[in-house]
């Protein structure tokens, strides 16, 4: 029976895995070994709503400690500078997967020419506001349609503190050898001479994938037929005086990929994700700096998109970048990490600490499907982005393999933004759901065979809904004001 867990890696993946297991299965003896020489990746700053739900609802970790130590800002969605429209919002509240009760068609059918203020979050994003107010003028901070922007270093600092507070032992050393019988690891040998035994190992060693990729040599399933980018240039700049803090990530089309903008309280981070097959590092840097002249120092990160065939082998499971990676176009790394940690915890609970081969097989199939869904959703972004005609984007439009997203694209081409798409094509475990698919298909104005020509009275009723969202958003609170309010000693987080 599993009693002693050793997590290899102290980045966000290793620490969240350790915290999850210790919090959900407190009888486990959980420790972490991490290498100060190798360090952490230090990038990764956008989340989806799954992350706050995992921390504050599933693990019941108090927001107060998290806000004080990790100092996040808030993200209501992604502002896409993508496709033929000048921009469109992909929000975490429903814009297109719903229907106003006084209108005959689903919302998406009204958005071919304009999609302004189709939800509260869309209206807030358009006005760079974060939260509506309660009767006492305080921000109403929702749990389920909100995500965070957090600097990776600050997140890891908070996680270290939280892990230690829960009784997780964190040790600084580098794993140099692995002892095992078949596919069962018995211990890890450390550079400083010691050996650490455990019954269960979590490989959270980042891109090194020291146990699953390196020790077990598990095959890597590349996503390179759908995702062509393999590098990112990253650089911060200071926030300008009085510049509002954007309550969203921006994803902007670039000549050979795309660029993110993420707003932290005191600075803005930008990163250009590009394909080295289409542009040299120096030319990518020149394009990046031309768009972002205020950026100071930059660094380049190399990556490959894909996943290991199995992430659970014997008594070892990989999480985070050690299990797989896709570019951060939808900020999915922490999202899938939370799903991994939760499913591992469930597996240990339901198997009474003795997971068998069928359970591991189901885990591997379940997580593989989650990775592949992310690939398919991102593929859609590339296949239909008609904004630029550079060789990179021509290649992406002609060659991006849609895999599992082909079905929903075919359905959409025939039927438009019908909610039936959900029943036809989307798994109930899909992390983006019908809203995600419709946000991108409607947002990019992908053509379909069922355009709706609303009569004037429909347009009038639609305008009334949009005006109602707009007026709530006009009176809403910005991120800077909300940060001041939650730092007031009188502020209380509601459970
Ligand atoms: C360009 C880019 C942008 C990204 N943006 C986002 C984003 O917006 N949102 C998001 O969710 N994610 C993003 N990510 C992913 C992000 O990297 C992960 O979410 C994340 O931080 C998880 O990292 P990790 O813990 O798996 O790896 P790491 O941070 O690399 O940690 C690995 C750990 O393993 C240790 N280690 C490795 N080998 C050994 C050894 N032999 N012995 C001992 N210790 C060892 C290291 O010291 C370290 O502690 C991005 C990634 C890239 C490349």
């Amino acid at each position: 029976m599993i009693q002693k867990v050793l997590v290899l890696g102290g980045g966000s993946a290793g620490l969240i895995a350790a915290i999850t297991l210790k919090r959900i299965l407190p009888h486990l003896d959980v420790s972490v070994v991490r290498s100060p020489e190798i360090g952490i990746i230090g990038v990764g700053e956008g989340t989806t709503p799954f992350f706050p739900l995992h921390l504050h609802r599933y693990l019941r970790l108090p927001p107060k400690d998290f806000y004080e130590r990790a100092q996040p800002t808030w993200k209501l969605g992604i502002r896409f500078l993508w496709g033929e429209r000048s921009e469109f919002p992909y929000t975490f509240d429903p814009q297109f997967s719903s229907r106003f009760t006084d209108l005959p068609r689903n919302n998406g059918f009204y958005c071919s020419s304009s999609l302004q203020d189709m939800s509260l979050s869309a209206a807030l994003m358009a006005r760079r506001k974060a939260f509506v107010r309660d009767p006492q003028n305080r921000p109403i901070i929702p749990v389920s349609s909100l995500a965070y922007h957090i600097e990776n270093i600050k997140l890891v600092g908070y996680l270290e503190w939280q892990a230690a507070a829960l009784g997780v032992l964190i040790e600084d050393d580098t794993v140099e050898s692995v002892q095992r019988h078949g596919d069962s690891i018995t211990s890890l040998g450390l550079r400083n001479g010691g050996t650490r035994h455990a019954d269960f190992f979590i490989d959270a060693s980042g891109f090194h994938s020291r146990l699953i990729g390196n020790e077990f040599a598990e095959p890597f399933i590349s996503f390179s037929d759908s995702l062509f980018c393999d590098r990112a240039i990253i650089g911060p700049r200071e926030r300008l005086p009085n510049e509002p803090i954007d309550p969203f990530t921006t994803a902007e089309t670039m000549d050979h990929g795309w660029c993110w903008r993420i707003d932290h309280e005191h600075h803005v981070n930008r990163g250009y994700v590009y394909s080295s097959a289409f542009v040299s590092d120096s030319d990518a840097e020149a394009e990046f700096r031309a768009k972002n002249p205020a950026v100071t120092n930059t660094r380049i990160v190399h990556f490959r998109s894909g996943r290991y065939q199995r992430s659970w082998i014997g008594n070892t499971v990989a999480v985070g970048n050690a299990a797989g990676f896709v570019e951060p176009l939808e900020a999915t790394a922490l999202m899938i990490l939370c799903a991994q940690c939760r499913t591992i915890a469930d597996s240990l609970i339901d198997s009474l600490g003795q997971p068998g081969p069928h359970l591991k097989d189901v885990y591997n199939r379940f997580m593989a499907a989650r990775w592949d869904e992310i690939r398919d959703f991102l593929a859609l972004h590339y296949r239909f982005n008609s904004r630029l005609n550079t060789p990179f984007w021509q290649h992406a439009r002609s060659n991006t393999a849609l895999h599992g997203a082909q079905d929903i694209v075919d359905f959409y081409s025939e039927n438009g933004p019908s909610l039936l798409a959900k029943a036809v094509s989307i798994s109930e475990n899909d992390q983006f759901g019908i809203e995600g698919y419709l946000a991108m298909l409607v947002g990019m104005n992908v053509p379909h065979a069922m355009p709706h020509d609303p009569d004037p009275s429909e347009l009038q009723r639609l305008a009334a809904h949009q005006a109602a969202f707009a007026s709530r958003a006009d009176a809403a609170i910005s991120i800077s004001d909300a940060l001041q309010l939650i730092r007031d000693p009188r502020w209380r987080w509601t459970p």
Side-chain angles (χ1 to χ4, degrees):
M1 185 182 298
I2 291 169
Q3 301 280 5
K4 194 169 166 48
V5 179
L6 182 54
V7 178
L8 168 51
S12 43
L15 293 167
I16 290 173
I19 289 169
T20 303
L21 291 182
K22 191 68 193 167
R23 185 80 169 161
I24 301 298
L25 295 136
H27 66 278
L28 290 177
D29 171 354
V30 180
S31 53
V32 172
V33 59
R34 59 164 183 205
S35 166
E37 288 136 36
I38 296 172
I40 57 170
I41 190 166
V43 287
E45 43 191 348
T47 79
T48 70
F50 284 86
F51 183 72
L53 286 171
H54 185 81
L55 280 194
H56 308 310
R57 196 169 275 179
Y58 176 67
L59 297 179
R60 289 172 288 105
L61 297 175
K64 184 171 183 295
D65 302 326
F66 175 75
Y67 276 87
E68 279 173 11
R69 291 170 185 271
Q71 298 179 351
T73 56
W74 294 283
K75 169 181 174 188
L76 307 184
I78 303 174
R79 172 180 171 244
F80 275 100
L81 310 183
W82 210 267
E84 62 181 36
R85 300 180 200 263
S86 61
E87 62 181 82
F88 66 88
Y90 169 11
T91 61
F92 299 133
D93 68 352
Q95 291 186 91
F96 308 112
S97 60
S98 57
R99 176 187 299 204
F100 294 120
T101 47
D102 56 350
L103 285 168
R105 306 296 303 275
N106 296 328
N107 290 355
F109 284 102
Y110 297 95
C111 296
S112 51
S113 57
S114 160
L115 42 61
Q116 201 158 1
D117 299 339
M118 289 299 289
S119 73
L120 181 58
S121 290
L124 289 166
M125 281 171 62
R127 289 155 186 79
R128 289 184 159 73
K129 298 282 185 67
F131 306 116
V132 293
R133 298 167 195 267
D134 72 7
Q136 284 77 41
N137 236 3
R138 294 172 308 195
I140 300 175
I141 302 181
V143 179
S144 56
S145 58
L146 186 66
Y148 292 136
H149 287 148
I150 333 162
E151 290 173 74
N152 187 262
I153 304 282
K154 285 184 179 162
L155 173 63
V156 169
Y158 158 76
L159 294 170
E160 282 171 2
W161 169 84
Q162 184 62 77
L166 290 169
V168 172
L169 184 75
I170 301 178
E171 187 177 8
D172 285 340
D173 210 330
T174 301
V175 170
E176 286 203 324
S177 62
V178 179
Q179 292 75 46
R180 63 180 166 113
H181 295 302
D183 62 9
S184 184
I185 293 180
T186 51
S187 59
L188 303 180
L190 306 182
R191 179 164 297 168
N192 291 339
T195 301
R196 295 292 171 270
H197 295 265
D199 321 303
F200 192 62
F201 293 83
I202 305 273
D203 183 356
S205 58
F207 288 151
H208 298 270
S209 196
R210 179 65 183 83
L211 303 180
I212 294 294
N214 194 305
E215 178 65 25
F216 288 116
E218 181 67 4
F220 187 78
I221 310 290
S222 170
F223 291 166
S224 60
D225 62 341
S226 296
L227 302 175
F228 306 118
C229 293
D230 56 0
R231 291 190 192 173
I233 295 180
I234 300 156
R237 72 161 171 83
E238 291 298 310
R239 176 172 298 293
L240 305 172
N242 301 321
E243 184 182 13
I245 302 174
D246 285 351
F248 47 78
T249 301
T250 296
E252 176 178 9
T253 307
M254 299 281 277
D255 287 354
H256 317 283
W258 65 278
C259 193
W260 77 76
R261 170 182 167 148
I262 288 184
D263 279 42
H264 300 290
E265 189 174 1
H266 302 296
H267 68 274
V268 171
N269 274 351
R270 299 224 64 180
Y272 180 7
V273 176
Y274 59 94
S275 166
S276 63
F278 288 84
V279 65
S280 67
D281 292 342
S282 56
D283 286 352
E285 171 124 18
E287 187 193 355
F288 180 61
R289 283 191 178 275
K291 285 229 169 180
N292 302 286
V295 157
T296 51
N297 49 325
T298 57
R299 71 166 167 134
I300 295 183
V301 181
H302 293 222
F303 59 82
R304 60 175 180 171
S305 294
R307 62 170 170 84
Y308 285 96
Q309 190 165 290
R310 293 173 301 168
S311 49
W312 189 332
I313 299 175
N315 61 345
T316 304
V317 194
V319 298
N321 293 350
F325 181 78
V326 298
E327 61 190 74
L329 185 50
E330 288 285 348
T332 43
L334 291 172
M335 175 177 87
I336 194 160
L337 170 67
C338 294
Q340 289 162 337
C341 293
R342 217 167 155 147
T343 316
I344 294 167
D346 284 346
S347 302
L348 298 191
I349 291 169
D350 286 355
S351 65
L352 305 178
Q354 300 177 79
H358 294 294
L359 187 148
K360 295 176 201 175
D361 185 42
V362 164
Y363 176 93
N364 282 327
R365 282 189 276 140
F366 180 78
M367 290 319 311
R370 304 291 77 75
W371 278 112
D372 295 351
E373 281 160 11
I374 295 174
R375 172 203 58 196
D376 300 349
F377 187 55
L378 297 194
L380 191 80
H381 297 51
Y382 280 100
R383 181 68 168 268
F384 295 105
N385 185 359
S386 55
R387 198 176 196 90
L388 293 181
N389 251 331
T390 57
F392 171 83
W393 284 106
Q394 287 174 8
H395 180 82
R397 286 194 292 273
S398 307
N399 297 291
T400 301
L402 286 176
H403 294 278
Q406 185 67 55
D407 200 19
I408 190 161
V409 165
D410 292 343
F411 179 87
Y412 186 87
S413 305
E414 182 187 287
N415 301 286
S418 158
L419 294 188
L420 287 173
K422 186 178 183 172
V424 175
S425 320
I426 298 181
S427 139
E428 63 176 29
N429 295 309
D430 186 289
Q431 299 142 102
F432 308 101
I434 179 74
E435 180 60 39
Y437 276 90
L438 290 184
M440 292 313 299
L441 289 163
V442 172
M444 292 186 288
N445 239 346
V446 174
H448 60 80
M450 290 289 163
H452 177 56
D453 188 15
D455 65 35
S457 83
E458 280 175 71
L459 289 176
Q460 214 174 9
R461 278 173 277 154
L462 177 67
H465 291 291
Q466 291 166 312
F469 288 134
S471 97
R472 292 177 72 195
D474 283 334
I477 299 180
S478 68
I479 288 194
S480 339
D481 290 345
L483 286 174
Q484 298 311 315
L485 285 164
I486 65 161
R487 287 171 187 160
D488 186 306
R490 287 164 297 174
W491 176 264
R492 293 285 171 274
W493 290 102
T494 45

